[in-house]
PDB file of all heavy atoms in Angstrom:
ATOM      1  N   LYS J  74      16.952   0.628  32.447  1.00  0.00           N
ATOM      2  CA  LYS J  74      16.484  -0.614  33.079  1.00  0.00           C
ATOM      3  C   LYS J  74      17.567  -1.689  33.148  1.00  0.00           C
ATOM      4  O   LYS J  74      17.331  -2.769  33.663  1.00  0.00           O
ATOM      5  CB  LYS J  74      15.314  -1.182  32.288  1.00  0.00           C
ATOM      6  CG  LYS J  74      14.012  -0.446  32.464  1.00  0.00           C
ATOM      7  CD  LYS J  74      12.946  -1.240  31.720  1.00  0.00           C
ATOM      8  CE  LYS J  74      11.570  -0.701  31.930  1.00  0.00           C
ATOM      9  NZ  LYS J  74      10.593  -1.506  31.170  1.00  0.00           N
ATOM     10  N   GLY J  75      18.728  -1.441  32.561  1.00  0.00           N
ATOM     11  CA  GLY J  75      19.789  -2.455  32.518  1.00  0.00           C
ATOM     12  C   GLY J  75      20.305  -2.570  31.096  1.00  0.00           C
ATOM     13  O   GLY J  75      19.745  -1.985  30.163  1.00  0.00           O
ATOM     14  N   GLU J  76      21.391  -3.333  30.948  1.00  0.00           N
ATOM     15  CA  GLU J  76      21.998  -3.439  29.622  1.00  0.00           C
ATOM     16  C   GLU J  76      21.118  -4.289  28.690  1.00  0.00           C
ATOM     17  O   GLU J  76      20.624  -5.340  29.076  1.00  0.00           O
ATOM     18  CB  GLU J  76      23.383  -4.082  29.748  1.00  0.00           C
ATOM     19  CG  GLU J  76      24.140  -4.063  28.444  1.00  0.00           C
ATOM     20  CD  GLU J  76      25.624  -4.371  28.632  1.00  0.00           C
ATOM     21  OE1 GLU J  76      26.002  -4.939  29.675  1.00  0.00           O
ATOM     22  OE2 GLU J  76      26.386  -4.047  27.704  1.00  0.00           O
ATOM     23  N   VAL J  77      20.932  -3.803  27.472  1.00  0.00           N
ATOM     24  CA  VAL J  77      20.138  -4.540  26.487  1.00  0.00           C
ATOM     25  C   VAL J  77      21.099  -5.242  25.525  1.00  0.00           C
ATOM     26  O   VAL J  77      22.021  -4.613  24.991  1.00  0.00           O
ATOM     27  CB  VAL J  77      19.216  -3.580  25.699  1.00  0.00           C
ATOM     28  CG1 VAL J  77      18.352  -4.372  24.723  1.00  0.00           C
ATOM     29  CG2 VAL J  77      18.349  -2.766  26.651  1.00  0.00           C
ATOM     30  N   TRP J  78      20.890  -6.530  25.339  1.00  0.00           N
ATOM     31  CA  TRP J  78      21.705  -7.331  24.424  1.00  0.00           C
ATOM     32  C   TRP J  78      20.835  -7.764  23.248  1.00  0.00           C
ATOM     33  O   TRP J  78      19.810  -8.417  23.452  1.00  0.00           O
ATOM     34  CB  TRP J  78      22.219  -8.597  25.115  1.00  0.00           C
ATOM     35  CG  TRP J  78      23.094  -8.416  26.313  1.00  0.00           C
ATOM     36  CD1 TRP J  78      22.777  -7.795  27.491  1.00  0.00           C
ATOM     37  CD2 TRP J  78      24.436  -8.912  26.464  1.00  0.00           C
ATOM     38  NE1 TRP J  78      23.839  -7.880  28.360  1.00  0.00           N
ATOM     39  CE2 TRP J  78      24.869  -8.561  27.753  1.00  0.00           C
ATOM     40  CE3 TRP J  78      25.299  -9.637  25.625  1.00  0.00           C
ATOM     41  CZ2 TRP J  78      26.132  -8.896  28.243  1.00  0.00           C
ATOM     42  CZ3 TRP J  78      26.558  -9.978  26.119  1.00  0.00           C
ATOM     43  CH2 TRP J  78      26.959  -9.596  27.400  1.00  0.00           C
ATOM     44  N   HIS J  79      21.272  -7.422  22.032  1.00  0.00           N
ATOM     45  CA  HIS J  79      20.509  -7.788  20.832  1.00  0.00           C
ATOM     46  C   HIS J  79      21.339  -8.787  20.021  1.00  0.00           C
ATOM     47  O   HIS J  79      22.373  -8.434  19.470  1.00  0.00           O
ATOM     48  CB  HIS J  79      20.218  -6.509  20.026  1.00  0.00           C
ATOM     49  CG  HIS J  79      19.472  -6.746  18.756  1.00  0.00           C
ATOM     50  ND1 HIS J  79      19.378  -5.802  17.760  1.00  0.00           N
ATOM     51  CD2 HIS J  79      18.767  -7.817  18.297  1.00  0.00           C
ATOM     52  CE1 HIS J  79      18.657  -6.267  16.760  1.00  0.00           C
ATOM     53  NE2 HIS J  79      18.287  -7.500  17.053  1.00  0.00           N
ATOM     54  N   PHE J  80      20.878 -10.029  19.986  1.00  0.00           N
ATOM     55  CA  PHE J  80      21.601 -11.100  19.299  1.00  0.00           C
ATOM     56  C   PHE J  80      20.960 -11.437  17.954  1.00  0.00           C
ATOM     57  O   PHE J  80      19.733 -11.403  17.815  1.00  0.00           O
ATOM     58  CB  PHE J  80      21.552 -12.396  20.123  1.00  0.00           C
ATOM     59  CG  PHE J  80      22.268 -12.345  21.438  1.00  0.00           C
ATOM     60  CD1 PHE J  80      21.594 -11.980  22.598  1.00  0.00           C
ATOM     61  CD2 PHE J  80      23.601 -12.703  21.534  1.00  0.00           C
ATOM     62  CE1 PHE J  80      22.241 -11.952  23.829  1.00  0.00           C
ATOM     63  CE2 PHE J  80      24.269 -12.681  22.757  1.00  0.00           C
ATOM     64  CZ  PHE J  80      23.584 -12.309  23.905  1.00  0.00           C
ATOM     65  N   ASP J  81      21.788 -11.829  16.985  1.00  0.00           N
ATOM     66  CA  ASP J  81      21.300 -12.459  15.751  1.00  0.00           C
ATOM     67  C   ASP J  81      22.095 -13.757  15.587  1.00  0.00           C
ATOM     68  O   ASP J  81      23.279 -13.731  15.254  1.00  0.00           O
ATOM     69  CB  ASP J  81      21.532 -11.530  14.561  1.00  0.00           C
ATOM     70  CG  ASP J  81      20.955 -12.104  13.269  1.00  0.00           C
ATOM     71  OD1 ASP J  81      20.882 -13.348  13.151  1.00  0.00           O
ATOM     72  OD2 ASP J  81      20.589 -11.317  12.377  1.00  0.00           O
ATOM     73  N   LEU J  82      21.432 -14.876  15.839  1.00  0.00           N
ATOM     74  CA  LEU J  82      22.149 -16.161  15.883  1.00  0.00           C
ATOM     75  C   LEU J  82      22.069 -16.931  14.566  1.00  0.00           C
ATOM     76  O   LEU J  82      22.430 -18.111  14.506  1.00  0.00           O
ATOM     77  CB  LEU J  82      21.582 -17.018  17.038  1.00  0.00           C
ATOM     78  CG  LEU J  82      21.568 -16.313  18.400  1.00  0.00           C
ATOM     79  CD1 LEU J  82      21.058 -17.263  19.481  1.00  0.00           C
ATOM     80  CD2 LEU J  82      22.946 -15.790  18.769  1.00  0.00           C
ATOM     81  N   TYR J  83      21.610 -16.259  13.505  1.00  0.00           N
ATOM     82  CA  TYR J  83      21.381 -16.928  12.212  1.00  0.00           C
ATOM     83  C   TYR J  83      22.585 -17.723  11.733  1.00  0.00           C
ATOM     84  O   TYR J  83      22.461 -18.827  11.239  1.00  0.00           O
ATOM     85  CB  TYR J  83      21.010 -15.863  11.171  1.00  0.00           C
ATOM     86  CG  TYR J  83      20.682 -16.410   9.805  1.00  0.00           C
ATOM     87  CD1 TYR J  83      19.555 -17.218   9.620  1.00  0.00           C
ATOM     88  CD2 TYR J  83      21.471 -16.105   8.692  1.00  0.00           C
ATOM     89  CE1 TYR J  83      19.232 -17.697   8.364  1.00  0.00           C
ATOM     90  CE2 TYR J  83      21.151 -16.584   7.436  1.00  0.00           C
ATOM     91  CZ  TYR J  83      20.031 -17.384   7.275  1.00  0.00           C
ATOM     92  OH  TYR J  83      19.715 -17.862   6.034  1.00  0.00           O
ATOM     93  N   ARG J  84      23.788 -17.145  11.883  1.00  0.00           N
ATOM     94  CA  ARG J  84      24.973 -17.785  11.287  1.00  0.00           C
ATOM     95  C   ARG J  84      25.697 -18.712  12.250  1.00  0.00           C
ATOM     96  O   ARG J  84      26.734 -19.271  11.907  1.00  0.00           O
ATOM     97  CB  ARG J  84      25.931 -16.695  10.786  1.00  0.00           C
ATOM     98  CG  ARG J  84      25.239 -15.824   9.739  1.00  0.00           C
ATOM     99  CD  ARG J  84      26.167 -14.864   9.051  1.00  0.00           C
ATOM    100  NE  ARG J  84      26.953 -14.051   9.968  1.00  0.00           N
ATOM    101  CZ  ARG J  84      28.157 -13.588   9.681  1.00  0.00           C
ATOM    102  NH1 ARG J  84      28.720 -13.870   8.533  1.00  0.00           N
ATOM    103  NH2 ARG J  84      28.792 -12.826  10.543  1.00  0.00           N
ATOM    104  N   LEU J  85      25.184 -18.882  13.439  1.00  0.00           N
ATOM    105  CA  LEU J  85      25.887 -19.711  14.419  1.00  0.00           C
ATOM    106  C   LEU J  85      25.448 -21.164  14.350  1.00  0.00           C
ATOM    107  O   LEU J  85      24.312 -21.468  14.014  1.00  0.00           O
ATOM    108  CB  LEU J  85      25.689 -19.155  15.825  1.00  0.00           C
ATOM    109  CG  LEU J  85      26.281 -17.766  16.030  1.00  0.00           C
ATOM    110  CD1 LEU J  85      26.225 -17.370  17.484  1.00  0.00           C
ATOM    111  CD2 LEU J  85      27.724 -17.704  15.537  1.00  0.00           C
TER     112      LEU J  85
END
Side-chain angles (χ1 to χ4, degrees):
K74 286 186 174 179
E76 187 166 19
V77 183
W78 299 61
H79 179 195
F80 294 92
D81 184 332
L82 307 183
Y83 183 65
R84 300 189 308 150
L85 296 188

